[in-house]
């Protein structure tokens, strides 16, 4: 598949939908909104549909146009962003019923579920793929579009700190800065501002932090009751898994969060230098990136904890 195919498909389509993975993060939201703005430059209006997301990203251009549900039965074209697997795609029905399907993603294990699959596993963010793609397609990286792009890059690289950041990442950032994108402002909004419930939850999960394997594994958890008490909303758990990872000597941080109505826990894994947590998550039925991965497991805190620790002990 070439990039020109994507351009052709967009030009041919009338009704376009943009979708992303469940519990959308900054890269999911940023890439979806950037794509909406790009499609508009080609003279088309696309629906961006995703589940309720963190209010942290409400400042992004066009965020107020995001819909939670589709009103259109069948789209001409569906574009999936930042999603490795149809099972994780929010609004998968709209994707499956669309006449043509495109996906753009940066996960190393991707099931190639579209007609056109544009997957670059070494890109640190889906937004970084988009910026190169738009330049090739002659789509102007406006200040608005650049703001969405940088929000995705900043969130997925933890503020340019992860090892998958490339020289290109900084070159793109420099280019965006020259175009008037306020990187400092976006950075502060998406990474350096905690909501009050997020702060309350960080106290709680810090107090519950346990260490295993000579301090190489940090483990903590959160229940639905904790979220309710903290007044947590969508996205208020974001970043809690980093508390463990940022502690000296810790290689893998495990954070588990009770999933509503599912009798189990959503597992978040982060590693610092050498453990491939994507492989660990894969063993537990999930997936992700080498240094950030996740999965779901049925059971109590103790049961899920035992299961994850058993897997981690094999690789640590
Ligand atoms: P998080 O810990 O932020 O929920 O997820 C980190 C990364 O792990 C995500 O970007 C995603 O790639 C991956 N991930 C999280 N949960 C799942 C899951 O249930 N299945 C798969 N395949 N990947 C997941
Ligand atoms: Mn991403």
């Amino acid at each position: 598949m070439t990039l020109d195919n994507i351009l052709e498909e967009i030009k041919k389509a009338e009704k376009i939908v943009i979708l992303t993975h469940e519990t959308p993060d900054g890269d999911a939201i940023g890439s979806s909104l950037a794509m909406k703005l790009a499609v508009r430059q080609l003279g088309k209006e696309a629906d961006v549909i995703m589940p309720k997301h963190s209010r942290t990203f409400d400042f992004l251009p066009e965020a107020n146009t995001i819909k939670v549900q589709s009103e259109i039965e069948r789209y001409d074209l569906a574009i999936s962003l930042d999603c490795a697997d149809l099972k994780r795609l929010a609004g998968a029905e709209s994707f499956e019923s669309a006449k043509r399907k495109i996906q753009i993603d940066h996960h190393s294990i991707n099931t190639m579920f579209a007609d056109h699959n544009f997957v670059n596993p070494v890109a640190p963010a889906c937004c970084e793929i988009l910026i190169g793609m738009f330049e090739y397609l002659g789509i102007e990286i406006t200040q608005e579009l650049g703001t969405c792009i940088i929000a995705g890059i900043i969130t997925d690289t933890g503020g340019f700190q992860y090892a998958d950041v490339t020289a290109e990442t900084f070159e793109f950032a420099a280019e965006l800065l020259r175009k008037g994108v306020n990187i400092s402002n976006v950075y502060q909004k998406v990474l350096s501002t905690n909501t009050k419930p997020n702060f309350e939850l960080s106290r709680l999960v810090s107090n519950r932090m346990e260490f295993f394997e000579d301090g190489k594994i940090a483990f903590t958890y959160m229940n639905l009751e904790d979220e309710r008490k903290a007044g947590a909303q969508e996205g208020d758990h974001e970043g809690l898994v980093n508390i463990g990872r940022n502690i000296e000597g810790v290689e893998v941080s495990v954070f588990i969060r009770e999933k509503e109505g599912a009798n189990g826990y959503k597992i978040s894994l982060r590693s610092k230098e050498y453990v491939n947590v994507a492989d660990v998550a894969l063993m537990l039925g999930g997936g992700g990136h080498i240094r950030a991965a996740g999965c779901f497991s049925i059971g109590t805190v103790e049961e899920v904890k035992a299961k994850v620790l058993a897997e981690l002990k094999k690789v640590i």
Side-chain angles (χ1 to χ4, degrees):
M1 187 226 43
T2 68
L3 285 177
D4 300 304
N5 294 134
I6 293 184
L7 191 60
E8 272 167 42
E9 295 287 5
I10 294 172
K11 283 184 174 165
K12 267 194 312 205
E14 278 314 313
K15 292 181 205 155
I16 303 173
V17 66
I18 296 167
L19 303 164
T20 187
H21 62 78
E22 60 185 26
T23 48
D25 55 14
D27 193 29
I29 300 166
S31 57
S32 298
L33 296 175
M35 183 54 84
K36 182 184 172 82
L37 289 166
V39 166
R40 183 176 291 160
Q41 282 189 36
L42 299 168
K44 309 283 166 81
E45 277 303 318
D47 284 343
V48 174
I49 297 170
M50 68 175 74
K52 248 189 118 190
H53 62 271
S54 165
R55 60 193 182 284
T56 299
F57 301 99
D58 283 349
F59 76 97
L60 289 177
E62 299 293 320
N64 60 336
T65 67
I66 293 175
K67 294 178 187 169
V68 178
Q69 249 180 347
S70 165
E71 290 133 23
I72 290 179
E73 215 164 293
R74 193 173 183 207
Y75 287 94
D76 300 319
L77 175 65
I79 306 173
S80 162
L81 294 157
D82 196 33
C83 185
D85 191 331
L86 198 55
K87 278 186 286 189
R88 281 203 88 218
L89 186 65
E93 327 75 58
S94 293
F95 191 84
E96 285 182 292
S97 65
K99 290 177 196 154
R100 302 295 290 163
K101 306 168 178 73
I102 292 174
Q103 70 139 330
I104 302 160
D105 182 41
H106 70 126
H107 290 82
S108 49
I109 305 158
N110 183 296
T111 58
M112 302 288 173
F113 53 89
D115 302 317
H116 300 296
N117 300 281
F118 198 82
V119 179
N120 176 359
V122 297
C126 187
C127 277
E128 187 166 315
I129 304 179
L130 289 187
I131 193 169
M133 178 179 281
F134 293 162
E135 284 181 342
Y136 174 85
L137 297 177
I139 288 163
E140 192 196 343
I141 311 292
T142 59
Q143 192 182 337
E144 278 194 317
L145 203 156
T147 301
C148 299
I149 296 264
I150 204 69
I153 293 179
I154 289 171
T155 29
D156 260 25
T157 61
F160 306 102
Q161 76 171 294
Y162 301 142
D164 55 2
V165 167
T166 61
E168 243 186 349
T169 315
F170 288 107
E171 281 157 12
F172 283 141
E175 207 178 306
L176 295 175
L177 199 58
R178 278 190 210 103
K179 287 184 192 292
V181 175
N182 193 337
I183 296 187
S184 159
N185 181 262
V186 175
Y187 198 113
Q188 282 175 27
K189 283 196 165 121
V190 306
L191 281 190
S192 307
T193 312
N194 291 333
T195 61
K196 192 75 193 327
N198 176 273
F199 173 71
E200 292 303 337
L201 291 169
S202 66
R203 274 202 233 252
L204 185 83
V205 301
S206 297
N207 276 329
R208 285 178 183 162
M209 194 75 73
E210 288 180 274
F211 299 93
F212 300 91
E213 301 292 298
D214 286 332
K216 291 205 268 295
I217 301 172
F219 171 90
T220 190
Y221 69 93
M222 176 173 96
N223 291 320
L224 286 170
E225 177 67 6
D226 302 322
E227 289 197 69
R228 196 189 55 74
K229 278 194 194 145
Q233 296 176 30
E234 274 74 20
D236 279 335
H237 66 283
E238 290 289 343
L240 296 176
V241 65
N242 296 329
I243 298 172
R245 191 208 47 202
N246 292 345
I247 299 165
E248 183 181 24
V250 170
E251 171 59 22
V252 179
S253 172
V254 185
F255 167 59
I256 71 169
R257 170 166 84 97
E258 188 178 1
K259 189 170 172 180
E260 189 145 28
N263 287 317
Y265 286 77
K266 193 83 229 307
I267 302 167
S268 282
L269 301 169
R270 297 291 185 274
S271 64
K272 206 180 274 168
E273 284 172 7
Y274 59 91
V275 170
N276 182 337
V277 286
D279 282 350
V280 177
L282 199 63
M283 293 301 291
L284 296 164
H289 308 283
I290 295 168
R291 301 280 172 260
C295 51
F296 168 77
S297 178
I298 288 180
T300 62
V301 171
E302 286 308 315
E303 286 162 357
V304 174
K305 175 175 150 187
K307 207 193 261 183
V308 183
L309 289 178
E311 281 307 321
L312 282 174
K313 282 174 185 172
K314 294 181 197 163
V315 293
I316 202 108

